[in-house]
């Protein structure tokens, strides 16, 4: 089990997470979930929001055309993006009429594959407007990251005066009190509450 | 916009100015007009820097009107980089101003006897062509400051930097933006060298007292323009992604799919991508008081451009766009956004194509002239080009030339022109366009233009392997047509998804000119342009062997997907088998 840290930040503090969100956050998913299940049940998005905002879904660098039948597996890297410009950007859209142009890298659904039980960990990368619009939902749910990475984010939040509170294992603490955990070679579970 | 301004720079007794009616070129604009003039009037086997070549500048069909997005200007000639026909286009103010001055095109002809630089000044009273030795080797920013001093702030300029004067094959033609900075470039194919060979350093345009071009049916034009703008604003790409992040929004996703050429096309992913992504760039611009949402000309409603400040909050350059960030960034292993912005400024100032220069520096890094990732060394190499040192003369002639000079096998070029920022081993379809476009490797040659709306060449079955051949053909046709309107190609994303937006654009043309153009006619225009261009290239000696990617794309698998380019030569030969 990971040590649990929760922070409260003001809305403008979300920008401090943008580098992390692009590089990837680790989070747990119920085994056997499809990408769509994960976004609906795991993150709490509705179908309309998914259709409207998430136009490209990539698993391990492969464009996915049907998120409903694509099962997430331990160690998968899921990247989510809004509509992109350019010919290549357009080919990457789910079910793009130009999908043939990128057929060599299109994700193929493993129909025979066994579904994993319990909890699996995946990496999620959020890009562009998906990052801007949906970051809060992912961060609220809880992401796993290294203490060193969290230190950098907390420092940025403190210097921009966007950090409004910290708790460790559900107990309010100061930055100094959790500082020791940020130097260890340990992964932490971070939940973020955005105020306002 | 009913006449062509011709300036014979090689005439006895000095430059000679004449005006001719549009005549057989009636109904053409932008790329359609530049390609028609070059194809008809330039001997295909001439030397690109000779007096026989012509340098054509043409605003689009709707430039100079109240229509949104209509500020694109095309330049055309025989290219010193590819040896074939070339059209390169840019935004900025000159298209609008030139069109309001009544010119459908400026054609620079002949060749002056010596290397005196000329400035051409055009206003409502006429045209002056003046020799001015004080302009010699001035970088673009200094040149424009000088023009401001002489002619005031209400001008728009088309110019070359030292690279164009030195007739380098990577030289661009600069167009000034709304702030009168030389930031928008007709970049590709060495067009700046051809302008340089004509001895013209700068064309200063002043449309004071000239009216906005009026439509034949103003009410219908206004209505169609309104619908067109609504279509752009409601679309996710043109209404949200491009305004928020610019084209550099592509870095993360192209990198994610393993199609981001890195270390001179050796891998498809760059570990430093998120440091130079559009998302990161936009945040940096906001923090430093720049602006990530800015138009390059009046009338742009998408605003994919921006203003980039240095760490002290001072203007450094316009927002470097995706291709530039890739060329000087990932392709050279550089993840320092400020260094990339500096290189963007240097390219603009010396008048160089950012794609060609980035690709060339990566080749130079392969040759051991600098280490991959060494931003300072990369900056120094561009400075060598600006100064015209012996090394700079080699680099300034592009990736293919540099590879030959240093005995490097890996030259990522088609028809001598460097590939842009998508590796065709990951996305094969774009490789079809890179290989077969008459322009050489060009990411804008086959844009995602309304395939599902146009049904050019019938419905394409996306499951058939030949689907990508037909798609590439159709996209190239549609792109050639859009390039003639004066509209920025970025409107294509809204056209792809929204038939009513596409119809609104056709309605704008019809209302303006009193035409009854249909979608089919529009496509026919694109087909004709491509035919003219292909025909010129055939006469210049091009064969199907030139419609190929460099061999290493077929033989070297690209990590992380470890695939090669798999489209067969026979299939490529079908693209223009129409
Ligand atoms: S969308 Fe971008 S390139 Fe096109 S006109 Fe606007 S600012 Fe210029």
């Amino acid at each position: 089990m990971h040590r649990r840290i929760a922070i409260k930040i003001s809305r403008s503090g979300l920008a401090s997470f943008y580098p992390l969100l692009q590089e990837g956050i680790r989070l747990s998913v119920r085994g056997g979930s499809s990408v769509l299940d994960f976004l609906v049940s795991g993150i709490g998005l509705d179908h309309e929001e998914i259709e409207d905002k998430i136009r490209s879904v990539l698993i391990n660098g492969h464009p996915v055309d049907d998120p409903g039948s694509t099962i997430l597996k331990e160690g998968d890297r899921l990247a989510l993006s809004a509509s992109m410009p350019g010919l290549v950007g357009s080919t990457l859209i789910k079910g793009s009429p130009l999908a043939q142009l990128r057929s060599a890298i299109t994700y193929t659904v493993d129909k025979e594959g066994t579904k994993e039980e319990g909890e699996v960990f995946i990496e999620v990368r959020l890009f562009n407007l998906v990052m801007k619009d949906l970051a809060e939902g992912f961060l609220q749910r809880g992401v796993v990251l290294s203490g060193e990475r969290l230190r950098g984010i907390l420092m940025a939040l403190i210097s921009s005066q966007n950090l409004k509170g910290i708790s460790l294992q559900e107990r309010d603490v100061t930055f100094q009190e959790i500082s020791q955990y940020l130097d260890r070679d340990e992964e932490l579970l971070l939940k973020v509450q955005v105020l306002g | 916009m009913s006449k062509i301004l011709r300036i014979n720079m090689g005439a006895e007794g000095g430059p000679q100015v004449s005006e001719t009616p549009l005549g057989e070129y009636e109904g053409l604009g932008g790329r359609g007009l530049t390609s028609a003039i070059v194809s008809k009037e330039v001997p295909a086997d001439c030397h690109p820097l000779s007096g026989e070549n012509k340098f054509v500048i043409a605003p689009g069909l709707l430039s100079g009107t109240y229509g949104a997005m209509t500020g694109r200007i095309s330049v055309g000639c025989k290219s010193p980089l590819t040896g074939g026909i070339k059209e390169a286009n840019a935004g900025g103010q000159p298209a609008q101003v030139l069109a309001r001055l009544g010119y459908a095109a400026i054609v620079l002809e002949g060749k002056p006897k010596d290397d005196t630089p000329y400035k051409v000044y055009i206003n409502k009273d006429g045209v002056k062509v003046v020799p001015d030795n004080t302009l010699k080797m001035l970088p673009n920013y200094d040149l424009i400051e000088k023009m401001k001093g002489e002619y005031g702030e209400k001008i728009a300029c088309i110019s070359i930097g030292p690279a164009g004067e030195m007739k380098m094959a990577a030289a661009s033609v600069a167009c000034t933006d709304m702030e009168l900075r030389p930031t928008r470039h007709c970049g590709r194919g060495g067009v700046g060298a051809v302008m340089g060979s004509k001895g013209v350093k700068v064309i200063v345009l002043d449309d004071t007292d000239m009216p906005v071009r009026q439509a034949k049916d103003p009410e219908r034009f206004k209505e169609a323009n309104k619908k067109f703008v609504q279509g752009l604003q409601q679309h996710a790409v043109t209404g949200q992604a491009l305004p928020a992040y610019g084209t550099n929004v592509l870095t993360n996703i192209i990198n994610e799919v393993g199609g981001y050429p890195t270390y001179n096309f050796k891998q498809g992913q760059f570990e430093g991508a998120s440091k130079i992504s559009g998302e990161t760039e936009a945040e940096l611009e906001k923090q430093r008081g720049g602006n990530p949402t800015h138009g390059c000309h009046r009338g742009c409603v998408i605003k994919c451009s921006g203003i980039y400040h240095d760490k002290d909050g001072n203007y450094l350059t316009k927002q470097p766009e995706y291709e530039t960030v890739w060329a000087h960034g990932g392709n050279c292993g550089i993840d320092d956004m400020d260094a990339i912005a500096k290189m963007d400024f240097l390219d603009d100032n010396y008048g160089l194509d950012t794609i060609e220069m980035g690709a060339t520096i990566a080749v130079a890094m392969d040759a051991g002239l600098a280490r991959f990732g060494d931003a300072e060394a990369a900056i120094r190499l561009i400075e060598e080009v600006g100064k015209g040192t012996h090394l700079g003369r080699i680099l300034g002639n592009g990736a293919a030339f540099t590879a030959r000079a240093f005995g490097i096998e890996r030259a990522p070029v088609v028809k001598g022109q460097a590939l842009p920022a998508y590796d065709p081993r990951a996305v094969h379809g774009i490789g079809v366009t890179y290989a077969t476009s008459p322009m050489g490797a060009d990411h804008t040659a086959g844009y995602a233009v309304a395939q599902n709306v146009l049904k050019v060449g019938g419905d394409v079955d996306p499951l058939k392997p030949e689907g990508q051949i037909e798609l590439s053909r159709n996209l190239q046709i549609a792109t050639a047509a859009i390039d003639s309107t004066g509209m920025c190609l970025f409107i294509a994303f809204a056209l792809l998804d929204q038939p009513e937006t596409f119809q609104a654009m056709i309605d704008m043309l019809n209302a303006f000119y009193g035409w009854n153009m249909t979608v089919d006619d529009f496509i026919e225009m694109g087909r004709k342009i491509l035919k003219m261009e292909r025909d010129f290239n055939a006469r210049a000696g091009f064969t199907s062997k030139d419609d190929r990617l460099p061999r290493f794309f077929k033989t070297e698998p690209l990590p992380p997907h470890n695939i090669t380019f798999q489209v067969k030569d026979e299939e490529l030969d079908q693209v223009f088998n129409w």
Side-chain angles (χ1 to χ4, degrees):
Chain A
M1 285 293 279
H2 298 103
R3 215 176 291 273
R4 298 183 304 280
I5 292 184
I7 60 173
K8 291 179 186 160
I9 64 169
S10 48
R11 186 153 298 279
S12 51
L14 273 173
S16 300
F17 287 91
Y18 289 170
L20 175 76
L21 293 166
Q22 293 174 64
E23 282 159 33
I25 46 180
R26 272 207 332 127
L27 34 76
S28 65
V29 177
R30 194 160 31 83
S33 299
S34 70
V35 174
L36 199 60
D37 296 337
F38 164 63
L39 294 173
V40 175
S41 324
I43 303 299
L45 303 175
D46 61 41
H47 284 268
E48 204 177 317
E49 215 172 1
I50 294 168
E51 200 40 49
D52 194 39
K53 294 192 165 152
I54 303 176
R55 299 300 303 279
S56 292
V57 174
L58 308 164
I59 299 272
N60 304 324
H62 297 281
V64 167
D65 285 316
D66 182 6
S69 55
T70 303
I71 306 299
L72 290 166
K73 295 192 278 306
E74 175 72 31
D76 272 349
R77 191 177 73 243
L78 170 69
L80 304 172
S81 163
S83 281
M84 287 293 95
L87 175 58
V88 177
S90 304
T91 67
L92 301 176
I93 291 171
K94 288 172 282 175
S96 166
L98 303 169
Q100 174 63 27
L101 299 182
R102 44 85 169 159
S103 56
I105 55 167
T106 298
Y107 184 85
T108 41
V109 175
D110 179 8
K111 293 209 172 86
E112 308 298 306
T114 49
K115 290 189 175 179
E116 285 156 309
E117 301 284 321
E119 227 183 21
V120 297
F121 275 89
I122 62 165
E123 185 187 324
V124 177
R125 294 181 175 182
L126 303 182
F127 299 148
N128 48 71
L129 294 166
V130 171
M131 174 179 82
K132 202 160 151 263
D133 294 346
L134 306 180
E136 190 178 344
F138 284 83
L139 294 171
Q140 227 167 32
R141 185 182 177 279
V143 301
V144 175
L145 77 175
S146 71
E148 192 193 356
R149 194 73 215 234
L150 179 57
R151 173 182 289 278
I153 292 170
L154 291 176
M155 300 300 282
L157 287 166
I158 291 168
S159 81
S160 60
Q161 300 184 341
N162 284 311
L163 185 64
K164 303 298 177 194
I166 312 179
S167 70
L168 172 67
Q169 309 289 91
E170 289 78 39
R171 188 176 64 83
D172 286 349
V173 291
T174 62
F175 175 71
Q176 281 67 30
E177 283 174 81
I178 60 156
S179 194
Q180 55 174 311
Y181 303 111
L182 306 180
D183 293 329
R184 290 186 194 166
D185 192 12
E186 173 182 331
E187 289 205 307
L188 305 160
L189 175 67
L190 173 75
K191 290 193 181 190
V192 181
Q193 187 189 346
V194 181
L195 306 173
Chain B
M1 236 177 68
S2 56
K3 54 191 180 180
I4 296 176
L5 172 67
R6 290 179 186 264
I7 307 177
N8 181 356
M9 297 300 298
E12 280 304 321
Q16 209 169 61
V17 176
S18 63
E19 281 179 8
T20 53
L22 262 174
E24 62 185 304
Y25 302 122
E26 195 81 52
L28 294 171
R31 174 173 168 184
L33 187 51
T34 63
S35 288
I37 294 176
V38 172
S39 161
K40 175 146 198 298
E41 300 183 15
V42 174
D45 57 353
C46 75
H47 192 288
L49 302 177
S50 71
E52 287 181 296
N53 198 3
K54 297 194 179 188
F55 183 76
V56 187
I57 305 169
L61 287 166
L62 292 174
S63 300
T65 71
Y66 281 130
M69 310 300 303
T70 55
R72 212 77 195 168
I73 196 159
S74 292
V75 303
C77 56
K78 177 170 176 172
S79 162
L81 188 72
T82 68
I85 197 164
K86 174 55 63 180
E87 184 267 355
N89 58 61
Q93 284 299 108
Q96 307 287 27
V97 178
L98 183 58
R100 283 173 196 168
L101 283 162
Y103 293 109
I106 299 175
V107 184
L108 303 180
E109 306 176 334
K111 189 170 182 169
K113 308 256 170 324
D114 62 23
D115 61 357
T116 303
Y118 282 82
K119 61 187 172 203
V120 177
Y121 177 68
I122 309 174
N123 71 355
K124 65 176 189 325
D125 301 321
V127 181
K128 286 190 192 127
V129 185
V130 186
D132 186 346
N133 271 308
T134 67
L135 306 183
K136 219 174 221 176
M137 294 300 273
L138 277 188
N140 276 315
Y141 274 85
D142 305 68
L143 173 70
I144 300 307
E145 274 308 305
K146 196 163 166 26
M147 293 303 103
K148 259 198 254 181
E150 288 179 30
Y151 299 104
E153 306 246 335
K154 289 190 176 155
I155 52 170
C157 298
I158 301 169
S159 65
I160 54 168
E165 285 187 70
M166 291 187 275
K167 301 175 196 71
M168 291 170 167
S172 63
V173 170
C175 296
T176 48
D177 58 22
M178 290 195 287
E179 290 74 32
L180 204 40
R181 291 172 177 145
T183 60
R184 320 308 306 186
H185 287 242
C186 301
R188 311 241 59 199
V191 288
V194 180
M195 185 163 159
S197 74
K198 304 297 176 202
V200 175
K201 176 76 176 166
V202 59
I203 300 174
V204 181
L205 305 164
D206 183 345
D207 65 353
T208 305
D209 296 335
M210 294 302 288
V212 172
R213 293 176 67 213
Q214 290 302 327
K216 283 236 164 81
D217 185 340
E219 272 316 303
R220 220 176 121 213
F221 183 73
K222 200 168 143 197
E223 193 47 38
N225 186 45
K226 201 169 134 200
K227 278 200 193 130
F228 179 65
V229 171
Q230 276 166 356
L232 296 177
Q233 285 172 337
Q234 79 193 25
H235 191 271
V237 171
T238 46
Q240 293 169 12
L242 282 171
Y245 304 112
T247 53
N248 196 20
V249 69
L250 282 164
T251 293
N252 272 327
I253 195 157
I254 303 297
N255 190 59
E256 185 65 23
V257 294
Y260 191 74
T262 303
Y263 304 120
N264 193 21
F265 287 81
K266 290 196 200 72
Q267 26 183 98
Q269 273 176 344
F270 179 43
E271 55 281 9
S274 67
K275 295 201 179 87
I276 56 173
S277 68
E279 293 88 325
T280 303
E281 188 181 7
E283 271 310 301
L284 203 59
E285 284 170 357
K286 276 191 238 163
Q287 281 165 20
R288 293 174 173 181
N291 179 7
T293 308
H294 191 60
C296 72
H297 70 83
R298 287 186 195 95
C300 166
V301 295
I302 299 176
K303 301 191 171 122
C304 82
S305 194
I307 306 285
Y308 191 98
H309 283 181
D310 64 15
K311 56 183 180 341
D312 300 321
N314 299 316
Y315 173 85
L316 176 53
T317 187
K318 95 281 191 184
Q319 173 175 290
E321 55 94 41
Y322 172 62
E323 301 292 337
T324 304
V325 174
W326 160 76
H328 284 309
N331 194 40
C332 294
I334 292 169
D335 62 7
D336 175 344
M337 200 57 232
D338 285 336
I340 294 167
K342 172 91 190 279
M343 288 188 258
D344 180 73
F345 167 79
L346 289 173
D347 287 340
D348 284 356
N349 207 23
Y350 296 137
L352 290 162
D353 174 20
T354 57
I355 297 178
E356 196 65 43
M357 281 320 296
T360 301
I361 291 170
V363 168
M365 287 172 162
D366 254 349
L369 267 66
R371 247 184 337 98
F372 279 100
D374 186 342
E376 278 178 27
I379 289 170
R380 272 199 305 277
L381 290 178
I382 302 178
E383 285 168 345
E384 297 267 351
V385 179
K387 286 183 208 146
T389 62
H390 290 166
L391 173 60
R393 294 265 181 176
I394 293 173
L395 301 172
N397 275 297
F401 191 89
T402 300
R404 270 200 300 278
F406 290 98
I408 295 296
E409 191 188 328
R410 176 188 293 277
V413 301
V414 175
K415 300 183 178 73
Q417 179 169 288
L419 264 74
Y422 311 87
D423 200 301
R425 286 167 288 188
V427 182
H428 292 167
I430 195 145
V432 176
T433 300
Y434 282 177
T436 60
S437 161
M439 299 295 157
D442 186 340
H443 62 293
T444 64
Y447 241 54
V449 181
Q451 166 56 31
N452 51 344
V453 179
L454 301 180
K455 309 267 188 262
V456 225
D459 282 310
V460 174
D461 179 351
L463 299 176
K464 280 196 308 188
E466 58 272 37
Q468 47 196 2
I469 299 298
E470 292 179 46
L471 274 172
S472 174
R473 175 193 307 138
N474 298 344
L475 295 168
Q476 290 193 55
I477 290 171
T479 302
I482 297 218
D483 279 344
S484 303
T485 61
M487 296 258 184
C488 170
L489 201 50
F490 293 164
I491 63 169
F493 316 118
L495 302 192
L496 173 72
D497 295 333
Q498 300 165 181
E500 69 282 5
T501 311
F502 185 82
Q503 188 56 50
M505 186 196 69
I506 301 274
D507 289 346
M508 283 169 75
L509 282 165
N510 285 340
F512 192 85
Y513 285 98
W515 293 341
N516 290 310
M517 183 186 255
T518 61
V519 170
D520 287 347
D521 298 332
F522 188 70
I523 292 313
E524 193 45 40
M525 177 165 82
R527 204 188 302 268
K528 259 193 204 143
I529 296 166
L530 274 175
K531 273 191 177 151
M532 284 188 293
E533 293 170 349
R534 297 265 311 167
D535 175 60
F536 182 94
N537 280 358
R539 284 182 280 128
F542 283 69
T543 67
S544 59
K545 301 276 175 297
D546 296 291
D547 288 344
R548 301 287 183 261
L549 295 181
R551 190 155 171 76
F552 75 85
F553 287 105
K554 284 190 196 169
T555 55
E556 285 181 25
L558 179 75
H561 297 309
N562 294 316
I563 41 178
T564 55
F565 182 67
Q566 285 153 18
V567 182
K568 295 191 181 72
D569 291 352
E570 307 82 68
E571 291 178 78
L572 293 175
D573 292 342
Q574 293 307 310
V575 171
F576 290 104
N577 194 3
W578 48 18

